[in-house]
Amino acid sequence: QVQLVESGGGLVQAGGSLRLSCAPSGSIFSINVMSWYRQAPGKLRELVAAIASSGRRNYGDSVKGRFTISRDNAKNTVSLQMNSLKPEDTAVYYCAADFIEVTAGTYEYDVWGQGTQVTVSS
């Protein structure tokens, strides 16, 4: 079973930057839509950003203009560049894929990573 593995979380001061990355745990064919979600304590999980294989992007309102999502289709990786971080960005960030073509004609759906903690101090 393919998993997604996040990296790049940590502690940063308000106004600082972090870059998150996500890659599959093994060799795969392709990934359709890759997304970043986050969940803060006591809050619902929310969409941060998503990017289709075509490159089309979608952002949550709270991060527009500050965060940038990008992907490398050749490596099947996705990154999230987070600038001008605020304390309210503190959360566990999850990488997700709507479906992954593991081998030709074989798919796994709704694949998630384990999450990486991002903490922004004031």
Side-chain angles (χ1 to χ4, degrees):
Q1 187 174 5
V2 175
Q3 295 180 333
L4 295 172
V5 181
E6 303 100 337
S7 61
L11 173 64
V12 65
Q13 289 188 331
S17 299
L18 278 176
R19 186 177 180 86
L20 304 182
S21 297
C22 172
S25 58
S27 177
I28 62 167
F29 247 38
S30 65
I31 301 177
N32 188 39
V33 177
M34 304 185 79
S35 305
W36 288 97
Y37 287 79
R38 68 186 182 187
Q39 187 166 20
K43 295 188 177 181
L44 296 175
R45 189 171 294 186
E46 64 172 346
L47 175 69
V48 176
I51 184 168
S53 56
S54 64
R56 182 174 180 177
R57 296 170 172 84
N58 183 39
Y59 293 96
D61 288 342
S62 62
V63 306
K64 285 180 181 177
R66 300 188 297 123
F67 291 10
T68 301
I69 190 170
S70 59
R71 66 185 288 167
D72 184 332
N73 286 337
K75 298 179 180 178
N76 291 306
T77 58
V78 64
S79 296
L80 184 69
Q81 178 65 41
M82 304 184 295
N83 299 328
S84 302
L85 283 161
K86 305 175 181 180
E88 51 264 44
D89 294 317
T90 296
V92 178
Y93 284 69
Y94 298 90
C95 176
D98 62 346
F99 67 85
I100 297 175
E101 187 173 15
V102 182
T103 59
T106 302
Y107 299 88
E108 290 191 17
Y109 297 87
D110 197 25
V111 181
W112 289 79
Q114 294 297 309
T116 185
Q117 177 70 46
V118 171
T119 302
V120 184
S121 62
S122 57

